Amino acid sequence: MEKRKYNKTLRAEKEDETRLKILEAAMKLHGEVGPARTTISAIADRAGVQRLTVYRHFPEENELLDACSSHWRSLNPPPDPASWRESVAPVDWGLAILSMLYHYYGETAYMWDHCYRDRENVAALREQMKGFDGYLDMLSADALASLPAERRKGKMCQAVARHAVQFSTWQSLSQAGVENSEMAALMDDWLHKCPLS
């Protein structure tokens, strides 16, 4: 009886190891070529398993994408709102948020670049990224909270806040050679000076 229990435990551990190898392989390929160009064959080769093993662990590609996204987010969490809500004066939230977010984009750009490129072509990815869209909306609202009430309600200020938190904004400024700290200051300044309309 003990031997059977030991063998069952060992088998479960091996299954978990194989599943993790598949997830890590998929995650690396998503970062290198993007989700749309990642094939089950490439994942199997990278993980050192057969294609059938990948399908046994993840019968549907959506399951693999969901698990891979969750695993990647656990390793690369975006800035925690508690970082500014608990330790930064509200008037400085905009600069704090953008500084942390742009640093995060700089560390994870390899993945976001592919995900934003592929999101319209991969339905499951589009669904996955809705959660991050909601997170960016929350950052935008917190950045606006650093402004006086009359500015906070302005259409232009709201548009600037939404624009400031987008990956594409960080990407274009980064490609122009602007440092993260400079772009955070630039966007925060724009937020505080945008027209009241």
Side-chain angles (χ1 to χ4, degrees):
M1 191 70 164
E2 278 299 315
K3 190 169 183 182
R4 189 176 304 151
K5 191 174 177 185
Y6 171 77
N7 285 340
K8 247 179 145 177
T9 303
L10 200 60
R11 197 176 314 122
E13 285 174 2
K14 286 230 179 248
E15 287 291 306
D16 288 346
E17 281 175 25
T18 301
R19 187 177 193 279
L20 184 58
K21 272 168 45 175
I22 292 167
L23 279 178
E24 299 254 324
M27 187 176 72
K28 285 178 182 164
L29 285 163
H30 288 173
E32 291 168 15
V33 299
R37 296 176 188 167
T38 296
T39 64
I40 296 298
S41 294
I43 293 168
D45 286 348
R46 181 70 65 95
V49 299
Q50 299 295 316
R51 288 177 70 228
L52 285 175
T53 305
V54 178
Y55 285 119
R56 187 162 43 82
H57 283 272
F58 301 99
E60 301 291 330
E61 281 192 55
N62 290 1
E63 292 175 42
L64 178 56
L65 184 62
D66 288 350
C68 184
S69 296
S70 295
H71 183 57
W72 186 82
R73 282 194 310 272
S74 73
L75 297 173
N76 301 278
D80 181 351
S83 302
W84 56 87
R85 289 177 181 168
E86 294 172 9
S87 60
V88 177
V91 71
D92 296 322
W93 279 11
L95 184 60
I97 289 165
L98 295 174
S99 296
M100 290 180 210
L101 181 65
Y102 293 162
H103 175 76
Y104 172 72
Y105 280 152
E107 296 287 311
T108 57
Y110 66 96
M111 186 66 80
W112 291 114
D113 185 38
H114 293 310
C115 288
Y116 276 106
R117 181 198 68 202
D118 292 351
R119 85 182 282 177
E120 293 311 311
N121 301 317
V122 181
L125 178 62
R126 198 161 50 245
E127 283 305 306
Q128 277 284 322
M129 290 184 70
K130 282 182 182 175
F132 192 67
D133 293 341
Y135 169 77
L136 294 181
D137 287 343
M138 181 268 296
L139 293 191
S140 174
D142 273 10
L144 283 168
S146 69
L147 302 177
E150 70 276 5
R151 281 194 169 280
R152 211 177 299 157
K153 296 173 187 164
K155 184 173 67 175
M156 289 291 285
C157 288
Q158 289 179 7
V160 169
R162 279 193 302 274
H163 180 69
V165 299
Q166 299 305 314
F167 174 73
S168 56
T169 300
W170 173 86
Q171 191 176 42
S172 71
L173 290 170
S174 180
Q175 287 169 351
V178 182
E179 296 292 326
N180 288 339
S181 58
E182 295 172 324
M183 65 176 86
L186 174 70
M187 297 306 291
D188 184 59
D189 188 53
W190 188 15
L191 194 57
H192 282 82
K193 292 178 178 171
C194 59
L196 292 172
S197 60

